[in-house]
């Protein structure tokens, strides 16, 4: 959302093996370290962020895979050999490194006529972060299409987790401390027109109800348990509390959707975080619902509670 300072150290691995080596290096150096995906769901504090940030920006690669023709799905081979025959209803696979963008993934599968991720249309960020947090919305989640994930485990080993090994839930990939290196997605071939039409419908709806053209970190809070909130989403609670338009500096609660803070120009992270705390307090006071943050916050010092 275009706030926050810079990283003391920035590492930009260009392959999964380099990402593994980068993590090993920062661990050995005893640094505080974090892995940055697309930054779409993140607020970085003002000033210099101590320690190292390992970015997945250069890990942008996607490839087609076929289980009968190819060996290891995480050893991408030349794309041209891997185009399955068009056959509506048949499965099709795409592998992607952690830094591939989710927008790019949706665009590719739309062009190929592969169905499975139309519900992710318009969701920004990288595959790594998306898998880790099970990005998505009311029309689908990234894990709907995940078949396997290659992760760097906390003990430094590289493991492949199958869908059955993981228990993804609403906004959680449940990978523990595992860092996503790559993922294998499974799709169903469909008439291209149908896939494109669903992508278009979802995008159109999003454009109507979300401030997509302004810098933001997406939805700030996860939707509360419907029993506690009387079935009202976080955005609706904020809206009904009359908080749309509430501002601190250039940080403002979007007039379009209550669960978005937008940066009107020169907002500071402190403005955004202060506004989030105020919204949380006012919704709790008004409705007795404790909103829980969805966006990540990186600042020096102890982690802020979600
Ligand atoms: N609503 C209001 N006022 C508002 C905003 C919403 O009354 O200011 C009402 C809407 O009219 C609707 C209900 O609240 O009846 C739910 O709103 P919406 O359909 O916009 O969905 P949402 O639950 O707010 C979720 C995801 C979004 C995702 C959309 C669409 C969460 C926290 N949010 O939003 O995800 O894009 O569905 O799939 O789960 C994100 O995670 O960053 C994000 C934007």
């Amino acid at each position: 959302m275009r706030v926050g300072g810079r990283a003391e150290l920035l590492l930009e691995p260009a392959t999964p093996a380099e990402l593994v080596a980068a993590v090993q290096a920062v661990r050995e150096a005893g640094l505080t370290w974090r892995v940055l995906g697309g930054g779409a769901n993140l607020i970085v504090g003002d000033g210099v962020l101590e320690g190292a940030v390992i970015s997945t920006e250069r890990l942008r690669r996607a490839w087609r895979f076929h289980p009968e023709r190819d060996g290891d799905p995480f050893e991408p081979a030349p794309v041209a050999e891997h185009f399955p025959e068009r056959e509506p209803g048949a499965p099709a696979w795409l592998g992607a490194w952690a830094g591939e963008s989710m927008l790019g993934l949706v665009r590719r599968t739309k062009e190929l006529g592969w169905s499975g991720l139309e519900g992710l249309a318009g969701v920004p960020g990288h595959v790594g972060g998306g898998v880790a947090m099970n990005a998505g919305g009311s029309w689908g989640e990234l894990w709907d299409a995940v078949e396997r994930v290659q992760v760097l485990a906390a003990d430094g080993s590289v493991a492949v987790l199958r869908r059955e090994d993981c228990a993804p839930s609403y906004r959680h990939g449940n990978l523990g401390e595992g860092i996503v290196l790559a993922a294998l997605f499974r799709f169903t071939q469909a008439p291209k027109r149908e896939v494109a039409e669903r992508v278009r419908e979802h995008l159109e709806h999003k454009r109507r109800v979300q401030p997509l053209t302004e810098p933001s970190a997406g939805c700030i809070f996860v939707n509360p348990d419907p029993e506690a909130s009387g079935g009202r989403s976080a955005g609706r609670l904020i809206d009904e509390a009359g908080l749309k338009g509430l501002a601190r500096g250039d940080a403002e609660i979007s007039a379009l959707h209550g669960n978005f803070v937008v940066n009107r120009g020169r907002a500071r992270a402190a403005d955004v975080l202060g506004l989030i705390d105020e919204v949380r307090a006012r919704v709790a006071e008004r409705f007795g619902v404790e909103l829980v943050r969805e966006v990540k916050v990186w600042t020096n010092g102890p982690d802020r509670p979600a």
Side-chain angles (χ1 to χ4, degrees), residues 10 29 261 300:
L10 181 72
V261 172
N300 298 321

Side-chain angles (χ1 to χ4, degrees), residues 5 10 63 73 78 89 101 123-124 137-138 156 199 212 220 240 253 268 272 289:
L10 181 72
W63 61 93
S101 80
V123 176
S138 32
V199 166
L212 293 192
I220 295 291
E240 287 185 12
I253 303 296
R268 293 174 314 129
V272 177
V289 177

Side-chain angles (χ1 to χ4, degrees), residues 133-190:
M133 68 164 287
N134 195 13
S138 32
W139 303 297
E141 300 171 328
L142 196 57
W143 271 86
D144 294 345
V146 172
E147 191 165 283
R148 289 184 223 174
V149 186
Q150 188 187 43
V151 294
L152 171 61
D155 66 3
S157 64
V158 174
V160 175
L161 305 177
R162 292 171 178 271
R163 197 189 161 72
E164 312 83 82
D165 307 330
C166 307
S169 54
Y170 171 59
R171 292 300 191 275
H172 274 289
N174 288 329
L175 297 175
E177 291 186 20
I179 291 165
V180 178
L181 300 174
L184 180 70
F185 298 93
R186 182 190 165 112
F187 302 92
T188 305
Q189 296 190 45

Side-chain angles (χ1 to χ4, degrees), residues 110 118 121 191-205:
K110 183 184 89 169
E118 298 93 312
K192 284 189 189 180
R193 224 178 330 107
E194 287 179 14
V195 178
E197 182 58 20
R198 283 193 288 271
V199 166
R200 198 187 55 80
E201 273 173 23
H202 293 155
L203 269 177
E204 246 175 38
H205 177 81

Side-chain angles (χ1 to χ4, degrees), residues 2-245:
R2 300 201 193 138
V3 297
R6 61 188 177 83
E8 194 179 0
L9 284 167
L10 181 72
L11 283 79
E12 296 187 294
T15 62
E18 284 186 15
L19 174 53
V20 172
V23 171
Q24 197 182 345
V26 293
R27 276 197 175 127
E28 279 170 13
L31 294 164
T32 302
W33 59 278
R34 300 166 168 100
V35 179
L36 174 67
N41 193 48
L42 175 68
I43 296 164
V44 180
D46 302 304
V48 176
L49 188 70
E50 288 160 16
V53 170
I54 302 173
S55 163
T56 60
E57 189 61 38
R58 293 178 66 199
L59 285 164
R60 181 164 295 195
R61 184 158 184 191
W63 61 93
R64 293 171 204 137
F65 170 77
H66 199 284
E68 279 149 31
R69 271 173 274 176
D70 305 317
D72 182 350
F74 295 109
E75 282 297 329
V79 158
E81 297 168 22
H82 298 261
F83 209 122
E85 289 74 39
R86 287 284 300 159
E87 193 190 331
W93 290 263
L94 206 65
W97 282 351
E100 179 65 29
S101 80
M102 287 191 279
L103 295 174
L105 198 63
V106 171
R107 193 186 57 242
R108 270 165 209 261
T109 52
K110 183 184 89 169
E111 284 163 4
L112 289 162
W114 293 3
S115 175
L117 283 183
E118 298 93 312
L120 269 276
V123 176
H126 290 181
V127 160
V131 169
M133 68 164 287
N134 195 13
S138 32
W139 303 297
E141 300 171 328
L142 196 57
W143 271 86
D144 294 345
V146 172
E147 191 165 283
R148 289 184 223 174
V149 186
Q150 188 187 43
V151 294
L152 171 61
D155 66 3
S157 64
V158 174
V160 175
L161 305 177
R162 292 171 178 271
R163 197 189 161 72
E164 312 83 82
D165 307 330
C166 307
S169 54
Y170 171 59
R171 292 300 191 275
H172 274 289
N174 288 329
L175 297 175
E177 291 186 20
I179 291 165
V180 178
L181 300 174
L184 180 70
F185 298 93
R186 182 190 165 112
F187 302 92
T188 305
Q189 296 190 45
K192 284 189 189 180
R193 224 178 330 107
E194 287 179 14
V195 178
E197 182 58 20
R198 283 193 288 271
V199 166
R200 198 187 55 80
E201 273 173 23
H202 293 155
L203 269 177
E204 246 175 38
H205 177 81
K206 274 193 108 164
R207 278 198 203 102
R208 264 201 317 275
V209 303
Q210 296 183 6
L212 293 192
T213 55
E214 288 172 282
S216 82
C219 283
I220 295 291
F221 301 103
V222 291
N223 282 335
D225 178 351
E227 279 197 19
S229 68
R232 286 172 292 197
S233 65
R236 187 161 159 205
L237 290 170
I238 296 164
D239 188 355
E240 287 185 12
L243 301 175
K244 279 178 164 177

